[in-house]
């Protein structure tokens, strides 16, 4: 578990863990439909260097939001920090949305890590975020929004990123993190563990990025492909990498991009690097 923090997660350490976690996610390949250092996946408007510019632009945001969590800030403060971070991201990428979902999800977890102190359990971190900002997250679900994700979720009766947050992050804490712990207990290395987490997440998450690009059929097809990968043993299968690569190529052919699953993977990497148990 390279890079896992063992000291108290000060805002500086949390921020460093968050930036490294985004790099962990970017570096994973094959990662169906998504940008990596190998290729740009289903995207023609961004590549790995676009993501590198973005994550460098976000490093101060993660520090500030962790410090805000440690100081007991309300959700309005966290939201304002996130909006400012989005502006810096877009300025760094010439208007390309690389990390909007990560700003929301990793930002909340950074704030929660700032509030909980050293090496919290996943259950304690989840409870802290819910107690401090759960009501505001629930209220946020009722706001009007023109985002592609929210519109797709409402149109098809899916759970958006906001709904996931208001429900206590079930995909993160009930699916992705247990898959991570199982993979580590089995002895998988970093790459295999992250591949295992990614496919478990994609099999479950209502990833509205997939709906935006491929309609509801695109989401369901991606979930079926991921479930097939998981049911065959996930990253523990001896042919896991070539099987993942074949799925990647199929996604690229259809321009499918499970960006929400990538955000969850990056968050799992953050939790590991921050010493969450």
């Amino acid at each position: 578990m390279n890079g896992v923090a063992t000291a108290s997660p000060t805002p500086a350490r949390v921020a460093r863990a968050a930036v490294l976690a985004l790099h962990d996610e970017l570096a994973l390949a094959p990662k169906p439909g998504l940008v990596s250092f190998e290729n740009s996946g289903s995207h023609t408007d961004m590549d790995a260097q676009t993501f590198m510019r973005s994550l460098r632009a976000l490093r101060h945001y993660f520090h500030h939001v962790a410090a805000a969590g440690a100081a007991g800030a309300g959700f309005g403060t966290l939201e304002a920090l996130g909006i400012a971070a989005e502006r810096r991201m877009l300025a760094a990428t010439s208007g390309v949305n690389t990390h909007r979902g990560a700003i929301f999800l990793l930002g909340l977890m950074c704030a929660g890590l700032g509030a909980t102190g050293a090496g919290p359990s996943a259950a304690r971190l989840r409870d802290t975020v819910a107690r401090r900002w759960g009501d505001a997250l629930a209220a946020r679900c009722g706001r009007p929004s023109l985002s592609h994700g929210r519109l797709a979720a409402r149109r098809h009766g899916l759970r958006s990123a906001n709904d996931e947050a208001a429900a206590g992050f079930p995909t993160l804490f009930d699916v992705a993190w247990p898959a991570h712990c199982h993979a580590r207990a089995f002895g998988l290395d970093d790459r295999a563990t992250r591949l295992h987490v990614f496919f478990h997440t994609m099999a479950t998450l209502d990833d509205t990025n997939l709906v935006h690009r491929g309609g509801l059929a695109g989401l369901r097809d991606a979930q079926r492909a991921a479930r097939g990968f998981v049911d065959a043993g996930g990253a523990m299968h001896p042919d896991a990498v070539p099987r993942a690569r074949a799925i990647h190529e199929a996604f690229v052919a259809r321009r499918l991009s499970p960006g929400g699953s990538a955000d969850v993977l990056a968050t799992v990497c953050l939790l590991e690097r921050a010493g969450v148990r």
Side-chain angles (χ1 to χ4, degrees):
M1 296 192 293
N2 296 335
V4 176
T6 56
S8 177
T10 64
R13 291 193 178 100
V14 170
R16 183 173 187 275
V19 172
L20 289 172
L22 289 178
H23 190 276
D24 293 337
E25 182 275 317
L26 175 62
L28 177 64
K31 191 171 64 238
L34 295 164
V35 175
S36 71
F37 290 113
E38 286 189 358
N39 56 62
S40 295
S42 298
H43 298 273
T44 57
D45 59 342
M46 62 182 83
D47 59 18
Q49 291 309 309
T50 316
F51 275 76
M52 289 297 293
R53 291 196 300 274
S54 177
L55 67 87
R56 283 193 292 267
L58 294 175
R59 64 190 187 280
H60 297 306
Y61 161 64
F62 293 125
H63 183 283
H64 293 322
V65 79
F75 184 75
T77 298
L78 307 187
E79 189 171 42
L81 290 170
I83 290 169
E86 282 192 17
R87 293 196 197 101
R88 288 194 294 275
M89 172 195 73
L90 294 172
T93 63
S94 301
V96 176
N97 170 24
T98 46
H99 286 123
R100 183 171 287 135
I103 288 170
F104 177 63
L105 182 52
L106 267 76
L108 276 169
M109 292 303 123
C110 285
L113 287 165
T116 53
S121 66
R124 183 180 171 203
L125 175 61
R126 185 181 196 176
D127 180 67
T128 297
V129 173
R131 281 188 296 101
R132 295 208 174 196
W133 306 295
D135 289 345
L137 288 167
R140 195 172 189 261
C141 292
R143 294 186 199 169
S145 173
L146 296 177
S147 74
H148 295 309
R150 294 280 291 280
L151 291 173
R154 289 175 181 174
R155 184 178 304 119
H156 298 291
L158 304 172
R159 193 158 59 192
S160 70
N162 285 302
D163 296 324
E164 281 274 326
F169 307 96
T171 302
L172 172 61
F173 287 110
D174 297 335
V175 177
W177 184 248
H180 161 85
C181 295
H182 182 218
R184 286 305 194 191
F186 192 79
L188 296 188
D189 63 14
D190 288 348
R191 182 195 195 189
T193 294
R194 291 162 190 164
L195 198 66
H196 201 70
V197 169
F198 180 81
F199 273 94
H200 274 77
T201 300
M202 188 165 62
T204 304
L205 183 68
D206 283 345
D207 195 327
T208 53
N209 292 273
L210 287 165
V211 179
H212 174 59
R213 283 175 166 257
L216 188 60
L219 170 65
R220 298 308 184 208
D221 288 347
Q223 289 175 326
R224 276 191 291 272
R227 279 196 294 271
F229 184 92
V230 168
D231 290 345
M236 298 167 192
H237 191 285
D239 293 326
V241 171
R243 293 178 71 248
R245 196 172 302 282
I247 296 170
H248 171 69
E249 291 169 358
F251 277 30
V252 171
R254 294 179 62 182
R255 296 188 66 251
L256 296 177
S257 178
S261 299
D263 295 334
V264 174
L265 170 61
T267 307
V268 168
C269 293
L270 165 65
L271 301 191
E272 180 177 36
R273 285 187 174 277
V276 171
R277 307 184 300 278

